[in-house]
Amino acid sequence: MDQKNQSSVTEFLLLGLSERPEQQPLLFGIFLALYLVTMLGNLLIILAIGSDPHLHTPMYFFLANLSLADASFSSTTVPKMLVNIQTHSQTISYGGCLAQMHLFMTFGALDDFLLGVMAYDRYVAICRPLHYSTLMSPLVCMLLLAACWVLTNLAALLHTLLMARLSFCADNTVHHFFCDVVPLLQLSCSDTSINQVALFAVGSMILTGPLSLIILSYARIISSILRVPSASGRQKAFSTCGFHLTVVFLFYGTAIGVYLCPPSSHSGGEDRLAAVFYTVVTPMLNPFIYSLRNKDMKVALSRLLGIHTLSPQGL
């Protein structure tokens, strides 16, 4: 019976953000604009860093990879949602749903790890400058990036394989705008206890591990900033750290609320709203927060776009 039910589900229906037809054109316009800004901003960051030899440093190496992860992260969900709105179709194949879930988890977890590594890089640069060239050598940077990719792909593969073993019965309506783990588990007519344990255990490591590293790194950075004699220097540093931490906590706060809270506490509408923040808003904000407040990045972007500007020292 389970096999029959499982084989009968060949596709899922994605309800999207709203079931009201009159709201679809507005949602299409908003999310198309957000997606284009996300792609343009992250692409410019990647091109600017790649084209400027002065930016071939560990900090910008990880920033370029963060931009790549952000662009890929948004691309796993938003284009499909836009196509569904435009074609008035809500369907996604069973295989396509699992593939979307796998890619979403891969790039989402990669975002988590890269934010943690970037915070550690800033900690070493500010608090241990004499050891920076050793602790953040090109080999170390490549190993850190490789570790991020391996760990995130293993985590996503685990959840994908556990999801593939489940049976899905008559109801194939996903109350979300993409194939996420939580709403899919709610649809399954199999025992999902193993999936729930894996989601909590792996999610705890992926989310709280990098977040702890970020908090510890910024605590040490802020401690060093407090020793800066210049009031204007402290104000500028606190302003930059404040922007960084705002985006970090927006990303982690919404993700933790969705993936680490008990299943009974999940609400379809609240989960979809939270997902908008960590799948659309933060990938769009990251290029502005991490780059456009940086003098070297402003110069590199100006050169890339052919805009005459002063050197970094003259800004």
Side-chain angles (χ1 to χ4, degrees):
M1 181 65 180
D2 285 343
Q3 183 63 33
K4 180 179 178 182
N5 286 335
Q6 184 178 15
S7 62
S8 65
V9 177
T10 59
E11 63 182 20
F12 292 97
L13 297 178
L14 299 173
L15 287 187
L17 288 171
S18 173
E19 300 175 45
R20 298 180 181 179
E22 66 275 11
Q23 294 181 347
Q24 301 308 309
L26 177 61
L27 289 174
F28 181 86
I30 292 174
F31 280 88
L32 177 61
L34 292 176
Y35 180 67
L36 291 177
V37 171
T38 300
M39 296 304 292
L40 179 62
N42 285 292
L43 179 61
L44 285 176
I45 297 305
I46 295 171
L47 292 176
I49 293 174
S51 62
D52 193 333
H54 297 95
L55 301 183
H56 294 176
T57 63
M59 181 179 76
Y60 296 110
F61 170 74
F62 290 117
L63 178 58
N65 280 278
L66 179 67
S67 291
L68 176 62
D70 282 334
S72 303
F73 190 35
S74 289
S75 296
T76 61
T77 58
V78 179
K80 177 60 178 174
M81 181 184 69
L82 295 176
V83 169
N84 284 359
I85 293 176
Q86 189 67 17
T87 60
H88 305 287
S89 171
Q90 298 176 317
T91 61
I92 184 171
S93 68
Y94 177 83
C97 188
L98 289 184
Q100 186 184 56
M101 187 192 77
H102 179 86
L103 293 172
F104 167 79
M105 299 197 73
T106 297
F107 292 115
L110 185 61
D111 245 19
D112 294 343
F113 281 103
L114 286 174
L115 288 172
V117 171
M118 289 174 66
Y120 173 73
D121 170 75
R122 290 298 82 207
Y123 155 72
V124 175
I126 294 173
C127 301
R128 304 188 65 183
L130 298 179
H131 300 90
Y132 185 76
S133 60
T134 302
L135 294 175
M136 298 303 295
S137 67
L139 177 60
V140 171
C141 291
M142 292 301 299
L143 289 175
L144 286 172
L145 180 63
C148 291
W149 275 100
V150 170
L151 291 173
T152 55
N153 274 281
L154 287 176
L157 181 61
L158 172 64
H159 288 299
T160 304
L161 293 176
L162 288 176
M163 187 66 69
R165 57 180 280 276
L166 299 180
S167 299
F168 294 91
C169 302
D171 188 6
N172 67 337
T173 303
V174 181
H175 294 266
H176 217 307
F177 63 94
F178 65 94
C179 289
D180 198 6
V181 178
V182 175
L184 287 177
L185 291 180
Q186 293 171 343
L187 289 183
S188 176
C189 51
S190 302
D191 180 11
T192 62
S193 57
I194 296 178
N195 298 69
Q196 297 286 358
V197 171
L199 180 63
F200 182 81
V202 177
S204 297
M205 290 186 290
I206 289 177
L207 290 171
T208 61
L211 180 58
S212 299
L213 179 60
I214 290 171
I215 293 173
L216 290 174
S217 297
Y218 273 97
R220 296 296 299 272
I221 290 171
I222 291 172
S223 176
S224 297
I225 292 173
L226 291 174
R227 294 195 292 267
V228 174
S230 169
S232 60
R234 286 198 303 269
Q235 182 179 2
K236 181 179 179 181
F238 275 123
S239 175
T240 301
C241 289
F243 277 106
H244 289 185
L245 291 175
T246 299
V247 176
V248 164
F249 286 121
L250 178 64
F251 180 87
Y252 282 97
T254 53
I256 289 173
V258 171
Y259 297 106
L260 300 187
C261 289
S264 58
S265 67
H266 289 292
S267 165
E270 292 177 358
D271 283 359
R272 279 180 277 185
L273 180 60
V276 169
F277 281 100
Y278 63 78
T279 62
V280 181
V281 176
T282 53
M284 180 189 67
L285 291 178
N286 277 339
F288 298 97
I289 297 301
Y290 283 94
S291 304
L292 299 185
R293 293 175 57 82
N294 181 292
K295 292 181 179 180
D296 293 327
M297 278 302 308
K298 288 180 181 179
V299 172
L301 286 170
S302 297
R303 289 173 180 166
L304 180 67
L305 298 174
I307 302 173
H308 178 71
T309 186
L310 297 173
S311 65
Q313 291 77 14
L315 289 177

PDB file of all heavy atoms in Angstrom, residues 210-237:
ATOM      1  N   PRO A 210      28.528  27.943  13.097  1.00  0.00           N
ATOM      2  CA  PRO A 210      29.024  29.208  12.538  1.00  0.00           C
ATOM      3  C   PRO A 210      28.554  30.440  13.314  1.00  0.00           C
ATOM      4  O   PRO A 210      29.301  31.409  13.456  1.00  0.00           O
ATOM      5  CB  PRO A 210      28.452  29.212  11.115  1.00  0.00           C
ATOM      6  CG  PRO A 210      28.235  27.769  10.795  1.00  0.00           C
ATOM      7  CD  PRO A 210      27.829  27.133  12.085  1.00  0.00           C
ATOM      8  N   LEU A 211      27.304  30.395  13.824  1.00  0.00           N
ATOM      9  CA  LEU A 211      26.805  31.543  14.584  1.00  0.00           C
ATOM     10  C   LEU A 211      27.634  31.763  15.846  1.00  0.00           C
ATOM     11  O   LEU A 211      27.948  32.906  16.201  1.00  0.00           O
ATOM     12  CB  LEU A 211      25.333  31.328  14.947  1.00  0.00           C
ATOM     13  CG  LEU A 211      24.665  32.462  15.748  1.00  0.00           C
ATOM     14  CD1 LEU A 211      24.745  33.781  14.987  1.00  0.00           C
ATOM     15  CD2 LEU A 211      23.223  32.108  16.080  1.00  0.00           C
ATOM     16  N   SER A 212      28.013  30.680  16.519  1.00  0.00           N
ATOM     17  CA  SER A 212      28.858  30.802  17.708  1.00  0.00           C
ATOM     18  C   SER A 212      30.213  31.398  17.346  1.00  0.00           C
ATOM     19  O   SER A 212      30.752  32.249  18.076  1.00  0.00           O
ATOM     20  CB  SER A 212      29.047  29.439  18.363  1.00  0.00           C
ATOM     21  OG  SER A 212      27.808  28.895  18.780  1.00  0.00           O
ATOM     22  N   LEU A 213      30.765  30.954  16.213  1.00  0.00           N
ATOM     23  CA  LEU A 213      32.045  31.493  15.761  1.00  0.00           C
ATOM     24  C   LEU A 213      31.929  32.981  15.452  1.00  0.00           C
ATOM     25  O   LEU A 213      32.828  33.773  15.782  1.00  0.00           O
ATOM     26  CB  LEU A 213      32.521  30.728  14.522  1.00  0.00           C
ATOM     27  CG  LEU A 213      33.847  31.181  13.890  1.00  0.00           C
ATOM     28  CD1 LEU A 213      34.982  31.056  14.894  1.00  0.00           C
ATOM     29  CD2 LEU A 213      34.144  30.361  12.627  1.00  0.00           C
ATOM     30  N   ILE A 214      30.816  33.384  14.846  1.00  0.00           N
ATOM     31  CA  ILE A 214      30.594  34.794  14.525  1.00  0.00           C
ATOM     32  C   ILE A 214      30.503  35.621  15.806  1.00  0.00           C
ATOM     33  O   ILE A 214      31.123  36.688  15.927  1.00  0.00           O
ATOM     34  CB  ILE A 214      29.309  34.952  13.685  1.00  0.00           C
ATOM     35  CG1 ILE A 214      29.507  34.370  12.290  1.00  0.00           C
ATOM     36  CG2 ILE A 214      28.909  36.428  13.580  1.00  0.00           C
ATOM     37  CD1 ILE A 214      28.235  34.284  11.477  1.00  0.00           C
ATOM     38  N   ILE A 215      29.736  35.137  16.775  1.00  0.00           N
ATOM     39  CA  ILE A 215      29.558  35.879  18.025  1.00  0.00           C
ATOM     40  C   ILE A 215      30.889  36.021  18.764  1.00  0.00           C
ATOM     41  O   ILE A 215      31.248  37.107  19.239  1.00  0.00           O
ATOM     42  CB  ILE A 215      28.508  35.181  18.916  1.00  0.00           C
ATOM     43  CG1 ILE A 215      27.125  35.279  18.262  1.00  0.00           C
ATOM     44  CG2 ILE A 215      28.478  35.812  20.304  1.00  0.00           C
ATOM     45  CD1 ILE A 215      26.051  34.485  18.987  1.00  0.00           C
ATOM     46  N   LEU A 216      31.646  34.927  18.849  1.00  0.00           N
ATOM     47  CA  LEU A 216      32.934  34.981  19.535  1.00  0.00           C
ATOM     48  C   LEU A 216      33.917  35.904  18.821  1.00  0.00           C
ATOM     49  O   LEU A 216      34.635  36.685  19.450  1.00  0.00           O
ATOM     50  CB  LEU A 216      33.523  33.572  19.641  1.00  0.00           C
ATOM     51  CG  LEU A 216      32.809  32.610  20.606  1.00  0.00           C
ATOM     52  CD1 LEU A 216      33.400  31.209  20.494  1.00  0.00           C
ATOM     53  CD2 LEU A 216      32.911  33.113  22.041  1.00  0.00           C
ATOM     54  N   SER A 217      33.944  35.820  17.484  1.00  0.00           N
ATOM     55  CA  SER A 217      34.869  36.655  16.714  1.00  0.00           C
ATOM     56  C   SER A 217      34.538  38.129  16.881  1.00  0.00           C
ATOM     57  O   SER A 217      35.427  38.960  17.129  1.00  0.00           O
ATOM     58  CB  SER A 217      34.812  36.261  15.232  1.00  0.00           C
ATOM     59  OG  SER A 217      35.245  34.931  15.039  1.00  0.00           O
ATOM     60  N   TYR A 218      33.252  38.472  16.769  1.00  0.00           N
ATOM     61  CA  TYR A 218      32.871  39.877  16.888  1.00  0.00           C
ATOM     62  C   TYR A 218      33.008  40.375  18.322  1.00  0.00           C
ATOM     63  O   TYR A 218      33.244  41.576  18.543  1.00  0.00           O
ATOM     64  CB  TYR A 218      31.456  40.091  16.356  1.00  0.00           C
ATOM     65  CG  TYR A 218      31.425  40.341  14.870  1.00  0.00           C
ATOM     66  CD1 TYR A 218      31.156  39.323  13.968  1.00  0.00           C
ATOM     67  CD2 TYR A 218      31.702  41.607  14.353  1.00  0.00           C
ATOM     68  CE1 TYR A 218      31.158  39.543  12.603  1.00  0.00           C
ATOM     69  CE2 TYR A 218      31.699  41.847  12.993  1.00  0.00           C
ATOM     70  CZ  TYR A 218      31.427  40.805  12.121  1.00  0.00           C
ATOM     71  OH  TYR A 218      31.431  41.027  10.760  1.00  0.00           O
ATOM     72  N   ALA A 219      32.872  39.492  19.304  1.00  0.00           N
ATOM     73  CA  ALA A 219      33.094  39.906  20.699  1.00  0.00           C
ATOM     74  C   ALA A 219      34.544  40.332  20.891  1.00  0.00           C
ATOM     75  O   ALA A 219      34.827  41.354  21.533  1.00  0.00           O
ATOM     76  CB  ALA A 219      32.733  38.759  21.638  1.00  0.00           C
ATOM     77  N   ARG A 220      35.469  39.546  20.324  1.00  0.00           N
ATOM     78  CA  ARG A 220      36.880  39.911  20.418  1.00  0.00           C
ATOM     79  C   ARG A 220      37.176  41.165  19.601  1.00  0.00           C
ATOM     80  O   ARG A 220      37.987  42.013  20.012  1.00  0.00           O
ATOM     81  CB  ARG A 220      37.741  38.746  19.922  1.00  0.00           C
ATOM     82  CG  ARG A 220      37.635  37.485  20.760  1.00  0.00           C
ATOM     83  CD  ARG A 220      38.168  37.716  22.172  1.00  0.00           C
ATOM     84  NE  ARG A 220      39.574  38.099  22.164  1.00  0.00           N
ATOM     85  CZ  ARG A 220      40.575  37.234  22.190  1.00  0.00           C
ATOM     86  NH1 ARG A 220      40.333  35.929  22.225  1.00  0.00           N
ATOM     87  NH2 ARG A 220      41.831  37.660  22.192  1.00  0.00           N
ATOM     88  N   ILE A 221      36.534  41.289  18.430  1.00  0.00           N
ATOM     89  CA  ILE A 221      36.747  42.473  17.593  1.00  0.00           C
ATOM     90  C   ILE A 221      36.259  43.728  18.312  1.00  0.00           C
ATOM     91  O   ILE A 221      36.947  44.767  18.345  1.00  0.00           O
ATOM     92  CB  ILE A 221      36.019  42.307  16.242  1.00  0.00           C
ATOM     93  CG1 ILE A 221      36.718  41.236  15.396  1.00  0.00           C
ATOM     94  CG2 ILE A 221      35.964  43.634  15.491  1.00  0.00           C
ATOM     95  CD1 ILE A 221      35.961  40.857  14.141  1.00  0.00           C
ATOM     96  N   ILE A 222      35.065  43.651  18.899  1.00  0.00           N
ATOM     97  CA  ILE A 222      34.512  44.804  19.618  1.00  0.00           C
ATOM     98  C   ILE A 222      35.394  45.168  20.803  1.00  0.00           C
ATOM     99  O   ILE A 222      35.617  46.354  21.112  1.00  0.00           O
ATOM    100  CB  ILE A 222      33.066  44.509  20.061  1.00  0.00           C
ATOM    101  CG1 ILE A 222      32.153  44.435  18.827  1.00  0.00           C
ATOM    102  CG2 ILE A 222      32.562  45.577  21.027  1.00  0.00           C
ATOM    103  CD1 ILE A 222      30.751  43.971  19.126  1.00  0.00           C
ATOM    104  N   SER A 223      35.930  44.152  21.479  1.00  0.00           N
ATOM    105  CA  SER A 223      36.847  44.408  22.586  1.00  0.00           C
ATOM    106  C   SER A 223      38.078  45.177  22.116  1.00  0.00           C
ATOM    107  O   SER A 223      38.557  46.094  22.804  1.00  0.00           O
ATOM    108  CB  SER A 223      37.261  43.083  23.230  1.00  0.00           C
ATOM    109  OG  SER A 223      38.216  43.281  24.244  1.00  0.00           O
ATOM    110  N   SER A 224      38.580  44.824  20.933  1.00  0.00           N
ATOM    111  CA  SER A 224      39.734  45.545  20.381  1.00  0.00           C
ATOM    112  C   SER A 224      39.358  46.960  19.956  1.00  0.00           C
ATOM    113  O   SER A 224      40.136  47.900  20.134  1.00  0.00           O
ATOM    114  CB  SER A 224      40.289  44.775  19.178  1.00  0.00           C
ATOM    115  OG  SER A 224      40.775  43.511  19.554  1.00  0.00           O
ATOM    116  N   ILE A 225      38.126  47.107  19.409  1.00  0.00           N
ATOM    117  CA  ILE A 225      37.673  48.426  18.976  1.00  0.00           C
ATOM    118  C   ILE A 225      37.585  49.388  20.149  1.00  0.00           C
ATOM    119  O   ILE A 225      37.901  50.578  20.035  1.00  0.00           O
ATOM    120  CB  ILE A 225      36.308  48.316  18.259  1.00  0.00           C
ATOM    121  CG1 ILE A 225      36.462  47.570  16.925  1.00  0.00           C
ATOM    122  CG2 ILE A 225      35.705  49.695  18.019  1.00  0.00           C
ATOM    123  CD1 ILE A 225      35.146  47.273  16.244  1.00  0.00           C
ATOM    124  N   LEU A 226      37.158  48.886  21.295  1.00  0.00           N
ATOM    125  CA  LEU A 226      37.010  49.735  22.474  1.00  0.00           C
ATOM    126  C   LEU A 226      38.336  50.338  22.929  1.00  0.00           C
ATOM    127  O   LEU A 226      38.360  51.344  23.648  1.00  0.00           O
ATOM    128  CB  LEU A 226      36.374  48.941  23.620  1.00  0.00           C
ATOM    129  CG  LEU A 226      34.911  48.543  23.424  1.00  0.00           C
ATOM    130  CD1 LEU A 226      34.439  47.635  24.556  1.00  0.00           C
ATOM    131  CD2 LEU A 226      34.033  49.781  23.328  1.00  0.00           C
ATOM    132  N   ARG A 227      39.432  49.700  22.510  1.00  0.00           N
ATOM    133  CA  ARG A 227      40.752  50.217  22.878  1.00  0.00           C
ATOM    134  C   ARG A 227      41.288  51.220  21.867  1.00  0.00           C
ATOM    135  O   ARG A 227      42.390  51.757  22.054  1.00  0.00           O
ATOM    136  CB  ARG A 227      41.727  49.055  23.034  1.00  0.00           C
ATOM    137  CG  ARG A 227      41.391  48.120  24.196  1.00  0.00           C
ATOM    138  CD  ARG A 227      42.556  47.202  24.538  1.00  0.00           C
ATOM    139  NE  ARG A 227      42.795  46.239  23.471  1.00  0.00           N
ATOM    140  CZ  ARG A 227      42.252  45.021  23.445  1.00  0.00           C
ATOM    141  NH1 ARG A 227      41.425  44.641  24.418  1.00  0.00           N
ATOM    142  NH2 ARG A 227      42.518  44.179  22.464  1.00  0.00           N
ATOM    143  N   VAL A 228      40.538  51.471  20.790  1.00  0.00           N
ATOM    144  CA  VAL A 228      40.963  52.461  19.797  1.00  0.00           C
ATOM    145  C   VAL A 228      40.841  53.863  20.396  1.00  0.00           C
ATOM    146  O   VAL A 228      39.768  54.236  20.891  1.00  0.00           O
ATOM    147  CB  VAL A 228      40.096  52.351  18.521  1.00  0.00           C
ATOM    148  CG1 VAL A 228      40.425  53.473  17.535  1.00  0.00           C
ATOM    149  CG2 VAL A 228      40.294  50.995  17.856  1.00  0.00           C
ATOM    150  N   PRO A 229      41.890  54.668  20.368  1.00  0.00           N
ATOM    151  CA  PRO A 229      41.832  55.986  21.016  1.00  0.00           C
ATOM    152  C   PRO A 229      40.926  56.983  20.301  1.00  0.00           C
ATOM    153  O   PRO A 229      40.362  57.871  20.921  1.00  0.00           O
ATOM    154  CB  PRO A 229      43.296  56.451  20.992  1.00  0.00           C
ATOM    155  CG  PRO A 229      43.931  55.687  19.870  1.00  0.00           C
ATOM    156  CD  PRO A 229      43.242  54.363  19.829  1.00  0.00           C
ATOM    157  N   SER A 230      40.803  56.856  18.987  1.00  0.00           N
ATOM    158  CA  SER A 230      40.013  57.809  18.213  1.00  0.00           C
ATOM    159  C   SER A 230      38.520  57.520  18.337  1.00  0.00           C
ATOM    160  O   SER A 230      38.066  56.408  18.066  1.00  0.00           O
ATOM    161  CB  SER A 230      40.432  57.762  16.741  1.00  0.00           C
ATOM    162  OG  SER A 230      39.524  58.483  15.942  1.00  0.00           O
ATOM    163  N   ALA A 231      37.751  58.537  18.740  1.00  0.00           N
ATOM    164  CA  ALA A 231      36.300  58.371  18.872  1.00  0.00           C
ATOM    165  C   ALA A 231      35.653  58.141  17.513  1.00  0.00           C
ATOM    166  O   ALA A 231      34.740  57.326  17.376  1.00  0.00           O
ATOM    167  CB  ALA A 231      35.696  59.604  19.540  1.00  0.00           C
ATOM    168  N   SER A 232      36.141  58.868  16.496  1.00  0.00           N
ATOM    169  CA  SER A 232      35.571  58.700  15.153  1.00  0.00           C
ATOM    170  C   SER A 232      35.899  57.309  14.606  1.00  0.00           C
ATOM    171  O   SER A 232      35.081  56.699  13.917  1.00  0.00           O
ATOM    172  CB  SER A 232      36.110  59.777  14.211  1.00  0.00           C
ATOM    173  OG  SER A 232      37.526  59.693  14.103  1.00  0.00           O
ATOM    174  N   GLY A 233      37.091  56.814  14.912  1.00  0.00           N
ATOM    175  CA  GLY A 233      37.464  55.470  14.473  1.00  0.00           C
ATOM    176  C   GLY A 233      36.589  54.412  15.113  1.00  0.00           C
ATOM    177  O   GLY A 233      36.171  53.455  14.461  1.00  0.00           O
ATOM    178  N   ARG A 234      36.307  54.585  16.424  1.00  0.00           N
ATOM    179  CA  ARG A 234      35.430  53.630  17.108  1.00  0.00           C
ATOM    180  C   ARG A 234      34.027  53.676  16.541  1.00  0.00           C
ATOM    181  O   ARG A 234      33.393  52.641  16.335  1.00  0.00           O
ATOM    182  CB  ARG A 234      35.389  53.956  18.609  1.00  0.00           C
ATOM    183  CG  ARG A 234      36.654  53.581  19.359  1.00  0.00           C
ATOM    184  CD  ARG A 234      36.389  53.525  20.861  1.00  0.00           C
ATOM    185  NE  ARG A 234      35.853  54.798  21.356  1.00  0.00           N
ATOM    186  CZ  ARG A 234      36.593  55.783  21.810  1.00  0.00           C
ATOM    187  NH1 ARG A 234      37.905  55.678  21.800  1.00  0.00           N
ATOM    188  NH2 ARG A 234      36.038  56.888  22.264  1.00  0.00           N
ATOM    189  N   GLN A 235      33.535  54.892  16.253  1.00  0.00           N
ATOM    190  CA  GLN A 235      32.180  55.032  15.718  1.00  0.00           C
ATOM    191  C   GLN A 235      32.049  54.364  14.352  1.00  0.00           C
ATOM    192  O   GLN A 235      31.070  53.664  14.074  1.00  0.00           O
ATOM    193  CB  GLN A 235      31.810  56.511  15.618  1.00  0.00           C
ATOM    194  CG  GLN A 235      30.392  56.748  15.116  1.00  0.00           C
ATOM    195  CD  GLN A 235      30.050  58.231  15.044  1.00  0.00           C
ATOM    196  OE1 GLN A 235      30.886  59.085  15.334  1.00  0.00           O
ATOM    197  NE2 GLN A 235      28.826  58.535  14.661  1.00  0.00           N
ATOM    198  N   LYS A 236      33.055  54.555  13.497  1.00  0.00           N
ATOM    199  CA  LYS A 236      33.021  53.951  12.173  1.00  0.00           C
ATOM    200  C   LYS A 236      33.081  52.432  12.265  1.00  0.00           C
ATOM    201  O   LYS A 236      32.345  51.721  11.562  1.00  0.00           O
ATOM    202  CB  LYS A 236      34.194  54.472  11.342  1.00  0.00           C
ATOM    203  CG  LYS A 236      34.229  53.919   9.925  1.00  0.00           C
ATOM    204  CD  LYS A 236      35.406  54.495   9.152  1.00  0.00           C
ATOM    205  CE  LYS A 236      35.457  53.922   7.744  1.00  0.00           C
ATOM    206  NZ  LYS A 236      36.614  54.455   6.983  1.00  0.00           N
ATOM    207  N   ALA A 237      33.937  51.914  13.137  1.00  0.00           N
ATOM    208  CA  ALA A 237      34.069  50.467  13.288  1.00  0.00           C
ATOM    209  C   ALA A 237      32.783  49.862  13.839  1.00  0.00           C
ATOM    210  O   ALA A 237      32.328  48.813  13.378  1.00  0.00           O
ATOM    211  CB  ALA A 237      35.238  50.148  14.205  1.00  0.00           C
TER     212      ALA A 237
END
